Amino acid sequence: MTTHTKRYRAMIWIPGSSGPGMRVAVFAEDLREAKEVIESKYGPGSVFDLHNEDDEKAPR
């Protein structure tokens, strides 16, 4: 069985940081896993806008 990962991109704002948001990218199987990866790396209090490449191509 193979796993299919997608690249998820996020703009993240870290509490206590005075700088602008950072652009980050993670690879995950789904949105839930991508959220867990970001929260484990940057902390659960971080605020982020998370999307994958399919979301980027969809009309708004």
Side-chain angles (χ1 to χ4, degrees):
M1 182 172 155
T2 60
T3 58
H4 298 285
T5 59
K6 293 182 181 179
R7 181 173 61 176
Y8 288 84
R9 295 182 185 190
M11 178 66 87
I12 184 167
W13 294 269
I14 301 170
S17 173
S18 61
M22 296 186 318
R23 294 180 190 268
V24 299
V26 297
F27 287 90
E29 290 185 36
D30 56 28
L31 186 62
R32 179 195 52 78
E33 183 182 8
K35 181 180 181 234
E36 289 174 359
V37 169
I38 288 175
E39 287 179 340
S40 70
K41 186 169 183 177
Y42 297 101
S46 300
V47 176
F48 51 89
D49 173 33
L50 180 63
H51 56 274
N52 66 24
E53 292 175 349
D54 294 337
D55 294 339
E56 291 175 354
K57 295 175 185 172
R60 304 207 193 280

